[in-house]
Structures are given as C-alpha cells and as structure tokens.
Amino acid sequence: MAAIRGEASDRQHQFLIDFGMLDVEKTNDSLIMRGYGDSPYLYVGKRGPKHRFLGLGFLAASREDLLELSRSTGQPVEVLDRPCGGEVVRLEDPAGLQVEVCFGLESAEAVATREEVLATNTPKRKVRINQGQRPALAPSPVV
C-alpha cells in the first residue's frame, strides 16, 4: 500500500501528528503526511469539514504493470503531482472509493528515531525483574 486517501480537518492533522506521523506538505487545500521510514508519504488528504476515508493508493511492481493497468481500464497514466514524483493511474472502485496505483515514487530519507529496544519479558525468558520502563513521552514513530 502506498497511502491512505482522506478528507482532512485541522483535528485530523493533529490526530495524525499525535499518532506519530510527520508533515510532508500542508497547504490550505491539502495535507500530506509520512512516517519515519523511507516511504515518501502514508496519508494524502484534501481539506474538508471533517475527516472521512476517500480511498487507497497502491504501488505497482513495475512501469509495465502500470501501463497494462492503464490499457486494460482505459484510464490514463498521469504524472503524480506530489513531492515524491512518479506516475499514477486513478480508478474508482464499485463503492465509489478512489484507488490510485503508483509507480516511480522517489524514496524519502528515513528519519532517525528511538533506537534502543525496550527490554521485554517472555514466558521463557525474564530479562527485566522489578524494573520499570520509562521511555520518553512522545508519539510512537510510524514506520
């Protein structure tokens, strides 16, 4: 999956930040958010009065697959107008949801995050006995 498409309000933007996502681009009309990994974005939203799910984006395995999808559906291959570049074929599923199939997206540079792994106990291995865990208070980074 490349991204979730949605209609976003200011409350949705704050929720995604609290959830652990980072801003890529925020304008009066759109919102693009990413995680800490190398995906250029995970959420693409357009301005709306409240949050609602609009559809999904997927990655094609090759440009040939994208061209075949275009030929078989009659939908054009378009240049993707987002910070990561690439191409897209836009479709609509029977329920009216938007489906984007993308290829050629440029990877983003991964963002450094917490690297220490918290010690956890398992039924057969006890590495932490009577020790609390106090990681920094922050949103969990979304990869």
Side-chain angles (χ1 to χ4, degrees), residues 98-133:
Q98 301 168 8
V99 178
E100 292 184 344
V101 181
C102 306
F103 181 75
L105 298 139
E106 295 174 17
S107 293
E109 189 172 327
V111 176
T113 184
R114 179 175 61 222
E115 295 196 15
E116 73 279 354
V117 177
L118 296 175
T120 56
N121 293 339
T122 66
K124 295 185 178 184
R125 190 169 142 254
K126 306 289 189 240
V127 295
R128 187 175 59 84
I129 299 171
N130 295 327
Q131 295 174 347
Q133 294 189 33

Side-chain angles (χ1 to χ4, degrees), residues 28-83:
N28 289 334
D29 301 322
S30 68
L31 173 64
I32 301 175
M33 305 286 289
R34 66 169 287 191
Y36 286 72
D38 65 357
S39 294
Y41 54 83
L42 299 173
Y43 178 87
V44 177
K46 67 177 188 175
R47 173 69 66 185
K50 64 178 188 168
H51 173 70
R52 67 184 179 114
F53 179 71
L54 296 177
L56 292 171
F58 297 95
L59 295 174
S62 67
R63 187 162 196 277
E64 291 74 31
D65 287 348
L66 191 69
L67 294 173
E68 178 59 31
L69 178 64
S70 174
R71 280 191 292 275
S72 66
T73 61
Q75 297 299 317
V77 174
E78 303 172 36
V79 174
L80 195 55
D81 184 24
R82 293 191 192 128

